Amino acid sequence: MKNLIIIIVLTFGFFSCEDELDIVNPNALTNESFWQNESDAIKGINSCYSTLHRPGFSRWQPMAYDLRSDVGASFSPWSDLANAMNNFIQSDSNFGPIVDIYFDNYAGIFRANQVIANLPDIEMDEQLKSRILGEAYFFRGMHYYHLASLWGNVALQLEPSSPTDLPLTSLEADVWVQVISDLSEAASRLPYSYNDYNDQGRITKGGASALLGKAYMQIQDYSNAKLALDDIVVGSGASNYDLMPDYYDNFKITSEFNIESVIEWSYIDNPTEITDNDVATANHNYGTSIGQFYGPPGIGFTDGEALRWVVGEFEIETTVANERDPRLPVTFLYDYTDEFGPASTLVYGQTFQQRYGNNNRVFLRKFLHDHIRDFEGFRGINNYRFIRYSDVLLMYAECLNATGATGDAYQYVDRVRDRAGLAPLPTGMSQQDFLEQIKHERLLELTGEGHRFNDLKRWGDLNSSLSSKDSGFNNFQTGKHELLPIPQIDLDINPNLEQNPGW
Amino acid sequence: MKKKSLSFIINAPSLLLFFLLFVCHSFSQNQITISGSVKDTEGVPLAGANILIANSSVGTSTDFDGNFQLNNVSPNAKLDVSYMGYINKVISVNGKVLFNILLELNNSFLDEVVVIGYQTIKKRDLTGATSLIDPDISNKNITNSLAESLQGLTAGVTVRNGGQPGQNSQIEIRGTSSFVNSNPLYVIDGMIADANQTINNNDIESIQILKDASAAAIYGSRAANGVVIITTKSGKAGPLKLSISFNTGVQNIPKTWSLMNSRQFADMQTTSFINSGLTPPLSVGANFNPNIDTDWQDEIIRMGLTKDFNISASGGGESSSYFLSGSHFENKGVLIGRSFKRSTLRVNTELSRGKVTIGENILLSNSNTKQPLGSFDTGNPFFDMTVMLPVIPVRGDDFINDLNPGGWGIGNNDAVTFAKNQVAVADILREKINFAKIIGNAFVKVDFLKGLSYKFNVGVEASYDFSKGIRRNGVTQFNAAQRPSFIADNRSGFKSFLIEHTLNFNKRLGKHNINGVVGVSDQQTKRDFSLAVRTDISEVNGQIFTEINSATGTSTSEGGITDHYRTFGYLGRVNYDYDNKYYLTLTGRLDSDSRFSKDNRTGFFPSIAGSWRIIKEDFFDVPWINDLKFNASYGELGIVTLGSFDWQGTINNNTIAILGNIPQVGSYQASLVNPDLRWENRKTQNFGLETSLFDNSLKGSMAYYNTLSEDALVTNLPIALYLGNLGGTPPVNAGSIRNTGFEFEASYKNTVNDFKWNVGFNLTTNKNRVEEVGNRGEGIDYIQTGLTRSKVGQPLGQWYLLKTDGIFQNEAEIDAHNLNGNLIQPFAQPGDIRFTDVDGDGSITDEDRDFSGSSPWPTLQTGLQFGANYKGFDLSLQFVGIFGNEIFNSVRRELDSYQNTNFRSDINPWTPSNTNTSDPRIGVSLNDQGLVDNARFASDRWLEDGSYLRLRNIQLGYSYNDALLNKLGVSGLKIYASGQNLFTITDYSGLDPDVQGNGILERGVDNGNWPSSRIISIGLNVEF
């Protein structure tokens, strides 16, 4: 009898088996069985790089920066697009292309958050772990950079998402704080360069520092911006960078990952691709389609183009050799891209005159493929140099000027001007005049590369007075249109979120 | 109690004298010793029968031979003799010392024993809402599954059937509380398994349905939709009893559509085209062939046949009992190409020695189903045979071509229809499925103390399913995609293994009774499959090669483990009662389930129930009320509605990083999963009353229930963009549904005369209300499907359709239907349907859909059973009545759309000279928006009253008397004839108002529902 009780108690006890209730899915790799080793860590961070060729990020986002600024415009027959991208009219906050930008950035943040959360527990080489974490922090910082620039007051997701997350809206200032924190973390962990060719395209210390500098500048913290850029301008990192002798080399597929490239997004062709959705199948499009959307009529959709007044800005100064600024034809495809005029300017195999007659439209050229082929398409392969060293130099000069060291700043501007063949600047400018000069330099150096909107906002120049250059600004309301509207989908689901002011 | 020998009893008279003398000397009061035996009416000794001296706590029990002895009994005492399952007897001692007591088996309902999950208690001690079903009544029906046989037999249980051979039924207990799953838990001899079409219903001894938390809570995390407990037959002590039964019947579809023949169709189709100013197609015009007049319903429907053969052998001895049964059931279906066969073998044994009992129940079952293979062009026969045109032959030389070597008649440019030729379907697409299953349990029980026993129970269910499907070369439908022929072999295995330890206790202290069970239960379930497909079948000289290796095309394969989960739980129940008057039951179950993440894995499911037998109170003295008892219970139950791995996020390997100019794999978890996935919860309340009147001849019970499910799983919720989720959206436990209802059951039995009869009636009302649907975005408090809307505050799946309002008789009426001068239906013509502009925006759009109060839920569900018995003849009747629900008749919508379909023979289209009709004008809808609108799918034109009253079963039998039987050497012989689903009274124009629908949210949609068959059968039962 006593024995029976003992047996019963033992068998009862035997049964409290918690681990036996851990049954892992045998049909597919799960979160529980992943994130175990070095190979998993590398695959995890690789997913972040995949965001770069999602259409919201690779196509609509650069368009949103340039067309909504005073250098670009949209006369697209898709009137909703033209209105949202050019005319500051967007009645539907769920408008597809704008929502795509918002979503792709958050998809990238979700990917980065998974790496950041899961990597610390992996047993692997500590140095490699630190580097990969650096890449992840960079991506999160970069995506929040874009969300802060375009939407300002957004939800901060700093942990891998859970379906019940109902975050509050974080004010723009706080989002910038997060951007700076993440990019600083990234810069401290990343190498200057990668030895293995198979790592070409991974983000470098210089890239993180450059974007960190931009972030500081956006919040007018020029002294910290300068500190962030010190390393790659005057410090030990500077030896990694220089300016390409031929400006055009920054925009051709034949000279990718050159010495001027600080942050570059790779695109290659996948001829059998069937979708742009990078999680639906491995056989997806990893090219860029922005060429198709900027392509001039007959080649692409021309959903975006440039405004003529910028051409005039290039013509103010000639080079030392009394020639036209060589950056003009690289930036724009227009009737005088070839100095001899529309009868000589070639546009994808035909002359400008043949295609458009005496039209004075100006098309943005830096993303196009007309240097190698006579069509565009959705599978563009021209890498996007997001930040170039000339941009870094001009940023550095702007910081020096803003912190009262204008005298030091001239050398950096002159270096950029010199590459373009222009004479050094006359010294002795006031801080205000120097800033105006920098604005002009950035216009000539960086138009059509996705920075103009942020530049205008930083300088406080984003207002309806720009309507003289870009009629879209007639609709610009200060205090509202600096930011895009938060998509109504998110507001409907999460009552904690707030719509941006005025929307 | 010492074991008495036979000789002692024989010498009793002399001993009696001795005792009398002894007694005279020892006591002044003459206490005596009595002894005797307790047997049943057949002379079988009853071991363990209680003999109590009335009004005292002195007593004894009979030993294994049924003998007893009791000392110090007053000669004037009364003895209270009782034995479970038998009628108590009170015997006056009157100075006697020897008693041969015979107890009668108690047929009274109240002394019946009921299995309520890990315990067996008397029905009169139940504190909860438990329905008992007599398998003899449910088995009068020839059915595919147990659920199907329960229709109409008890309150609170809704069963919806279908007639396909081997088809499963939809069963709901006390309404539907989940958006995902309404199936109850089945427990067969203590093994948690599924009582589907592989079980032989004739093996069933008793069926209990636990409807509220009182009894069901012991199954905790799986009991929220109710529990059906099935006990299979066991042997009874006695010599071998052999029982053979045979039953065969013919089956047909009681109602078919009345459709046009080819001549009538040609005339109507011609009218239609001419009305639209078009040339009629050649098939009804110039090329009309009077020799082609296909009655498609006739071609596909045939007489079905059922055969059911059962043989069982049972018996037992002093320490063992056995029950063996074998059965074979065949059903040739009422449609061509479909049949079902099942053979089973059951062995139930029980052996005991001393305190130890061991036993097992095992069923081996093998079923074979033949049916057309489900593919993109298999279609639905009850749809296709109505829509298919009578001017198309089943087969014709004109149709022979490379794609259609069989020459099957399908639509063509001259006779357009997209219906499938179902004769072709049965020929081209074939599937044979074999289910081989073993299910059973084995146990060891140790009664190591009086009132304390331990049981170790192991249960097993394993099945191996093999489905071979082929698709031959051919087409079944006009303009269907061309797909290669193929062979598909699908093998799947299912294993479920249960281990339980339980301790049962039972103690009586005077008038206090306490019994209960504590235990632990562990169940593991696994399901896997592999599928191999190869294209390009070989057919040579009329022989079709159906093995994969004989196919010559490309191979594809799939496989995986679709389910693997484990549930582990502690269970306990305590029943206390005082004098059978006040009852209290407490139940608790603590379950852990691997289908949830660690944080959500464990749940606790308690319940409390109480009863008050008011009739035992002194103040209650109504002579004609034999029993009156109130019950109340409250508890929390759960149900798992998830897959085995749903809480685990899977890694997506499709992302690509372009590094070093080449694509490199990126991996991460792309779709969110909900780590908080957990049980759906159901809090149930039950208030009931049971009564028995007029010498237990009239019994009644009533119950009111109120259940609230919380954490009901909702799927397809919109998901915030800031989550960065790609791929599917995770389900969330955010729904809530309330069910309230009233149940009433009454039965009357008259056994006084030679003509014995009984009648039983049950009635159920159920009100269903959606309380929450999850966060679907601001302002959205409903789940929408094509035809229904489940909105907070309304029942689940209410019809949400456009409202029609008669027919426009003339242009003036069309003009009058305007908003501020703008026509609401600008394309309408006289003879078209008028729709109501519900949202007042001046046009008819999806926004004009609305609730109309029409519901797929019945307001009243009833069942009636009648039985009568007279000198060997017996008659039984079962009626089912369902009232107040509305059915959406998709098939009629197709017919009445007038496009590419045959017509109802009583169609009466509107014309300017024929205006008194509800059928709109007929024409070709090409470029005619008015005709397109008339046939709009989501409109209330297709809603019909689904109420019905059906004679579910009638059986007339004759049992031969003993005299004849003895001559034949047989102990029982009965012959009978029965009719099932003989007639149905309903207004519904479709084939059968008993509709299974399209899932939980569209339960009343008749999509070509397979109607229940009418079966007329005869049978024979012989016992040896």
Side-chain angles (χ1 to χ4, degrees), chain B residues 526-798:
Chain B
K526 194 169 183 180
R527 188 191 300 272
D528 61 66
F529 83 100
S530 68
L531 171 67
V533 180
R534 193 178 287 187
T535 57
D536 297 331
I537 288 189
S538 304
E539 288 188 41
V540 176
N541 292 334
Q543 184 185 359
I544 309 173
F545 288 87
T546 59
E547 291 307 314
I548 294 232
N549 276 354
S550 67
T552 58
T554 45
S555 302
T556 52
S557 62
E558 271 175 50
I561 296 179
T562 48
D563 276 313
H564 184 192
Y565 60 89
R566 189 168 184 157
T567 308
F568 176 77
Y570 297 98
L571 54 99
R573 186 199 286 121
V574 172
N575 293 316
Y576 164 77
D577 81 85
Y578 177 73
D579 195 25
N580 288 164
K581 186 160 55 168
Y582 305 114
Y583 292 84
L584 181 68
T585 301
L586 295 167
T587 314
R589 175 118 184 184
L590 185 72
D591 266 336
S592 300
D593 197 307
S594 72
R595 286 172 280 188
F596 309 112
S597 66
K598 267 209 171 71
D599 295 332
N600 298 291
R601 201 163 268 176
T602 308
F604 179 57
F605 304 93
S607 83
I608 179 170
S611 292
W612 177 27
R613 178 165 269 122
I614 192 172
I615 196 171
K616 280 201 141 191
E617 293 292 355
D618 296 327
F619 60 77
F620 196 94
D621 186 22
V622 183
W624 45 272
I625 298 185
N626 303 104
D627 191 31
L628 185 62
K629 177 159 146 278
F630 293 108
N631 301 325
S633 77
Y634 173 80
E636 291 181 24
L637 308 170
I639 185 157
V640 182
T641 48
L642 300 166
S644 300
F645 315 111
D646 282 354
W647 67 273
Q648 298 172 19
T650 50
I651 298 294
N652 181 301
N653 293 307
N654 292 325
T655 51
I656 298 277
I658 307 298
L659 298 165
N661 238 25
I662 52 167
Q664 297 189 30
V665 173
S667 307
Y668 81 116
Q669 183 192 328
S671 336
L672 282 175
V673 288
N674 182 354
D676 287 333
L677 286 174
R678 52 189 181 273
W679 282 285
E680 296 194 22
N681 199 293
R682 193 167 179 182
K683 298 185 162 74
T684 77
Q685 288 175 44
N686 179 67
F687 302 95
L689 183 149
E690 286 164 29
T691 182
S692 186
L693 313 167
F694 305 117
D695 272 340
N696 295 323
S697 60
L698 178 65
K699 295 183 209 305
S701 72
M702 292 191 270
Y704 165 76
Y705 62 88
N706 185 336
T707 74
L708 178 67
S709 73
E710 290 175 337
D711 291 344
L713 208 68
V714 281
T715 55
N716 293 328
L717 289 179
I719 195 160
L721 299 165
Y722 55 73
L723 298 177
N725 180 66
L726 283 161
T729 64
V732 179
N733 295 91
S736 172
I737 303 173
R738 185 180 291 277
N739 281 279
T740 56
F742 177 73
E743 292 173 8
F744 175 74
E745 282 191 23
S747 66
Y748 176 73
K749 203 190 292 203
N750 183 326
T751 52
V752 173
N753 311 316
D754 276 351
F755 182 75
K756 302 181 179 24
W757 57 278
N758 60 74
V759 66
F761 174 71
N762 66 73
L763 182 152
T764 310
T765 69
N766 176 276
K767 264 207 175 62
N768 173 291
R769 190 189 135 107
V770 176
E771 300 282 349
E772 306 230 11
V773 291
N775 184 357
R776 307 193 96 87
E778 214 173 72
I780 300 180
D781 63 346
Y782 55 82
I783 298 175
Q784 182 74 39
T785 70
L787 300 170
T788 70
R789 182 171 279 202
S790 302
K791 184 183 160 84
V792 171
Q794 296 254 11
L796 210 56
Q798 291 287 85

Side-chain angles (χ1 to χ4, degrees), chain A residues 91-204:
Chain A
S91 54
D92 178 12
S93 66
N94 286 333
F95 180 53
I98 302 295
V99 163
D100 280 352
I101 303 173
Y102 180 88
F103 176 76
D104 279 358
N105 279 304
Y106 273 113
I109 287 167
F110 185 28
R111 294 165 183 188
N113 276 335
Q114 286 187 36
V115 177
I116 292 170
N118 287 297
L119 238 69
D121 289 335
I122 299 182
E123 281 189 28
M124 57 184 283
D125 174 54
E126 286 303 313
Q127 207 178 6
L128 181 60
K129 184 194 285 194
S130 179
R131 183 207 96 196
I132 293 179
L133 279 171
E135 293 177 78
Y137 279 112
F138 171 80
F139 273 101
R140 189 169 78 184
M142 189 251 317
H143 286 304
Y144 278 120
Y145 170 90
H146 289 302
L147 286 170
S149 301
L150 295 169
W151 278 273
N153 309 301
V154 294
L156 273 179
Q157 291 284 100
L158 301 174
E159 299 281 339
S161 306
S162 142
T164 49
D165 285 343
L166 292 172
L168 297 163
T169 298
S170 295
L171 291 176
E172 186 180 334
D174 295 326
V175 182
W176 283 116
V177 166
Q178 184 64 39
V179 172
I180 285 164
S181 160
D182 283 343
L183 292 175
S184 307
E185 188 68 40
S188 70
R189 292 166 179 268
L190 290 168
Y192 284 115
S193 63
Y194 293 84
N195 298 325
D196 190 345
Y197 179 71
N198 288 323
D199 285 330
Q200 180 192 72
R202 289 192 188 279
I203 200 68
T204 59

Side-chain angles (χ1 to χ4, degrees), chain B residues 976-994:
Chain B
Y976 62 90
S978 69
Q980 188 168 322
N981 297 328
L982 273 191
F983 68 81
T984 307
I985 302 174
T986 180
D987 278 340
Y988 181 59
S989 73
L991 299 190
D992 185 355
D994 184 7

Side-chain angles (χ1 to χ4, degrees), chain B residues 179-430:
Chain B
F179 294 100
V180 172
N181 181 348
S182 64
N183 296 323
L185 181 72
Y186 287 93
V187 181
I188 304 175
D189 294 326
M191 173 60 185
I192 296 170
D194 195 5
N196 56 23
Q197 64 273 56
T198 56
I199 305 290
N200 178 14
N201 290 346
N202 291 303
D203 286 342
I204 298 179
E205 171 77 53
S206 70
I207 304 168
Q208 283 91 196
I209 303 183
L210 310 182
K211 299 184 289 196
D212 76 333
S214 156
I218 201 132
Y219 290 105
S221 65
R222 290 176 276 194
N225 284 338
V227 184
V228 178
I229 298 189
I230 294 162
T231 311
T232 56
K233 292 180 177 164
S234 55
K236 297 200 180 21
L240 172 67
K241 243 169 134 164
L242 200 61
S243 164
I244 300 179
S245 73
F246 181 70
N247 167 302
T248 180
V250 290
Q251 219 183 5
N252 75 340
I253 294 185
K255 178 177 173 184
T256 54
W257 289 93
S258 178
L259 301 170
M260 292 192 173
N261 62 30
S262 62
R263 179 74 261 167
Q264 295 164 330
F265 168 74
D267 290 340
M268 185 61 80
Q269 185 77 313
T270 304
T271 307
S272 175
F273 273 75
I274 290 178
N275 281 355
S276 297
L278 299 168
T279 318
L282 297 171
S283 62
V284 300
N287 288 351
F288 176 72
N289 182 347
N291 295 324
I292 301 179
D293 187 8
T294 318
D295 181 345
W296 288 97
Q297 294 187 98
D298 226 26
E299 294 291 335
I300 298 163
I301 299 177
R302 66 178 175 195
M303 185 81 82
L305 195 64
T306 67
K307 286 187 219 169
D308 196 4
F309 175 75
N310 274 275
I311 177 167
S312 71
S314 72
E318 296 178 354
S319 54
S320 65
S321 71
Y322 58 91
F323 174 81
L324 301 151
S325 82
S327 80
H328 182 77
F329 172 74
E330 278 184 31
N331 178 204
K332 179 172 141 202
V334 292
L335 295 190
I336 57 173
R338 291 147 173 95
S339 67
F340 177 71
K341 266 191 229 186
R342 171 185 66 225
S343 305
T344 67
L345 175 69
R346 174 175 287 281
V347 177
N348 290 353
T349 58
E350 198 169 296
L351 309 158
S352 61
R353 179 179 163 162
K355 299 183 200 275
V356 178
T357 310
I358 63 175
E360 55 77 34
N361 306 291
I362 277 200
L363 172 77
L364 297 167
S365 166
N366 190 27
S367 326
N368 284 297
T369 304
K370 257 201 200 142
Q371 63 194 15
L373 178 68
S375 181
F376 68 98
D377 58 349
T378 308
N380 177 333
F382 290 96
F383 225 91
D384 294 318
M385 67 185 182
T386 33
V387 171
M388 200 51 166
L389 307 180
V391 295
I392 297 177
V394 175
R395 268 183 125 134
D397 287 342
D398 313 343
F399 291 92
I400 297 181
N401 61 38
D402 283 340
L403 292 180
N404 189 358
W408 294 105
I410 55 176
N412 52 50
N413 286 318
D414 280 343
V416 177
T417 178
F418 299 102
K420 284 101 180 163
N421 178 336
Q422 284 293 330
V423 185
V425 167
D427 183 71
I428 291 170
L429 291 156
R430 304 186 193 178

Side-chain angles (χ1 to χ4, degrees), chain B residues 919-932:
Chain B
D919 296 324
R921 70 182 166 101
I922 186 167
V924 177
S925 69
L926 184 67
N927 287 329
D928 190 331
Q929 187 65 35
L931 288 173
V932 171

Side-chain angles (χ1 to χ4, degrees), chain A residues 20 23 27 29 31 279 490, chain B residues 561 566 648 651 669 721:
Chain A
E20 311 228 4
I23 301 182
N27 300 306
L29 215 53
N31 238 10
V279 296
D490 281 5
Chain B
I561 296 179
R566 189 168 184 157
Q648 298 172 19
I651 298 294
Q669 183 192 328
L721 299 165

